[in-house]
Amino acid sequence: MDVNGVGWLAAIIIGGLAGWFAEMVMKSNTGIFMNIIMGIVGAVVLNALLQALNFQSFGVGWFAYLVTGFIGACLLIFVGRLVRR
């Protein structure tokens, strides 16, 4: 896995931070494991959406992965709330 120039270990750490930030902003009550999953999956999903819409990603590197993971995790929380209703 080499998404945005970030390896596995960095993806887990940055994904956890991105998920934690999204949890704080969206006021969801998830644990650290779900934060990591949401950050990583959010980054992958948002990158796929951006590519499908012919937009550029937010760049390469740790900060770009953090921003992408944060926005993607917020989107996942939002969609999850819509589905639960």
Side-chain angles (χ1 to χ4, degrees), residues 15-36 38-39 69-78 81:
L17 285 172
W20 180 60
F21 291 147
E23 175 190 26
M24 290 183 350
V25 169
M26 299 293 288
K27 307 244 189 293
S28 68
N29 192 11
T30 59
I32 189 163
F33 183 70
M34 276 305 293
N35 288 345
I36 294 170
M38 285 193 320
F70 170 73
I71 295 170
C74 286
L75 287 173
L76 288 177
I77 292 170
F78 178 74
R81 287 180 180 169

Side-chain angles (χ1 to χ4, degrees), residues 31-71:
I32 189 163
F33 183 70
M34 276 305 293
N35 288 345
I36 294 170
I37 297 298
M38 285 193 320
I40 294 171
V41 172
V44 171
V45 167
L46 187 60
N47 272 328
L49 283 172
L50 289 175
Q51 286 180 356
L53 297 172
N54 286 333
F55 284 107
Q56 294 280 336
S57 65
F58 294 114
V60 177
W62 290 49
F63 185 73
Y65 192 82
L66 181 67
V67 170
T68 306
F70 170 73
I71 295 170

